[in-house]
Amino acid sequence: MSLEIRRLDKSFRGLKAVSHASFTVTEGDIVGLIGPNGAGKTTIFNMVAGVYAPDSGEIIFNQRKIQGLRPDQVCAAGIGRTFQIVKPFTGLSVVADAMKEEFLREKNTSSARALSISILDKLGLGAKRDLPASSLTLPDRKRLEVARALATRPRLLLLDEVMAGLRPTECDQMVEVLRELNRADGLTIVLIEHVMRAVMALARDIVVLHHGEVIARGTPAEVVRDPAVLECYLGEETEI
């Protein structure tokens, strides 16, 4: 078992952001975490990644409790993540921006650069590796954000709305990249996403949050027919 969330709770100034949330992610799986804005999805990511400590509950990663660890310790344990707002480092090239993450595990500069280039090639950024990272378009910045997370060599990748702002064809391209990473490298993926086109195409299982609680869990086909999910999130007229 790769990741287990056990009865997580988190409040901010009396506001319950996550309430008794529990779900599991099997190694090698692709799981979608969906729900309305404010449902607690990113808060769960932040607790897994070490940004916040849960008020109660446990986070188990590869049979080890990781709740309360610092973000760098969580990353070193094998969990990488992306962020909703992509911010390339000013003044760095694309390859340098990705390469700085490699130094978590690789101390040799030449090796770190070579590994970063191989990741950029997988994401379709190889030809742009020497361009300023700040010059990239939004779709390419999204790819660079994924590249930076992959450069930490995670076993579990947390993707926070990497499809947001992309056109349908760009979403399809990102889906194919992530599917290949999962197939070829065995990478476990959990993604927060509002683009249901991408979630349905990529996720094997979906967890649905509402008001911080898990209200449904199942395959994409099962979840989109769940009355509670239709009422609070998808809407009865939703077509996927």
Side-chain angles (χ1 to χ4, degrees):
M1 186 179 296
S2 183
L3 178 71
E4 185 174 359
I5 304 298
R6 297 179 180 172
R7 303 176 302 279
L8 278 193
D9 287 287
K10 185 65 180 178
S11 297
F12 297 97
R13 296 183 179 180
L15 176 64
K16 198 78 166 179
V18 176
S19 179
H20 303 298
S22 297
F23 61 89
T24 59
V25 179
T26 304
E27 185 173 1
D29 205 356
I30 303 177
V31 175
L33 187 59
I34 70 171
N37 288 328
K41 306 180 296 296
T42 297
T43 300
I44 287 179
F45 264 26
N46 282 333
M47 286 190 284
V48 173
V51 178
Y52 304 139
D55 296 336
S56 62
E58 295 178 331
I59 304 167
I60 312 295
F61 179 61
N62 285 343
Q63 301 181 335
R64 174 190 177 191
K65 293 181 182 180
I66 63 169
Q67 71 272 8
L69 294 183
R70 300 189 311 267
D72 61 301
Q73 294 172 321
V74 173
C75 186
I79 298 178
R81 71 166 296 181
T82 67
F83 295 86
Q84 289 182 21
I85 300 174
V86 290
K87 294 182 178 180
F89 273 60
T90 302
L92 291 185
S93 66
V94 171
V95 68
D97 203 340
M99 179 177 157
K100 66 185 183 344
E101 312 298 338
E102 279 284 353
F103 290 122
L104 174 71
R105 305 189 192 279
E106 178 56 65
K107 305 309 178 186
N108 181 277
T109 301
S110 296
S111 297
R113 180 179 173 84
L115 289 165
S116 298
I117 289 173
S118 70
I119 292 171
L120 293 173
D121 286 341
K122 288 181 182 179
L123 290 163
L125 288 174
K128 300 178 180 179
R129 67 193 190 199
D130 294 321
L131 295 177
S134 58
S135 71
L136 294 179
T137 62
L138 177 61
D140 284 344
R141 288 186 181 207
K142 295 277 188 175
R143 293 186 185 94
L144 177 57
E145 182 75 3
V146 175
R148 285 159 56 167
L150 290 174
T152 67
R153 303 186 207 175
R155 288 178 290 172
L156 168 65
L157 182 61
L158 308 177
L159 300 174
D160 199 345
E161 297 193 30
V162 295
M163 317 284 182
L166 302 186
R167 292 189 289 268
T169 54
E170 294 164 345
C171 281
D172 293 344
Q173 291 168 358
M174 183 68 82
V175 165
E176 286 305 314
V177 167
L178 296 174
R179 186 181 284 142
E180 178 60 19
L181 288 169
N182 172 259
R183 185 198 66 78
D185 301 336
L187 183 65
T188 306
I189 298 173
V190 181
L191 66 152
I192 294 172
E193 196 54 68
H194 288 290
V195 181
M196 288 304 297
R197 171 195 183 96
V199 175
M200 295 295 289
L202 188 59
R204 300 188 190 115
D205 286 289
I206 296 176
V207 176
V208 187
L209 285 172
H210 186 48
H211 295 315
E213 298 180 355
V214 175
I215 63 166
R217 169 76 191 261
T219 66
E222 291 168 342
V223 164
V224 296
R225 290 173 175 81
D226 188 297
V229 178
L230 290 171
E231 180 180 355
C232 80
Y233 184 52
L234 295 178
E236 294 188 9
E237 303 300 323
T238 296
E239 296 183 4
I240 306 299

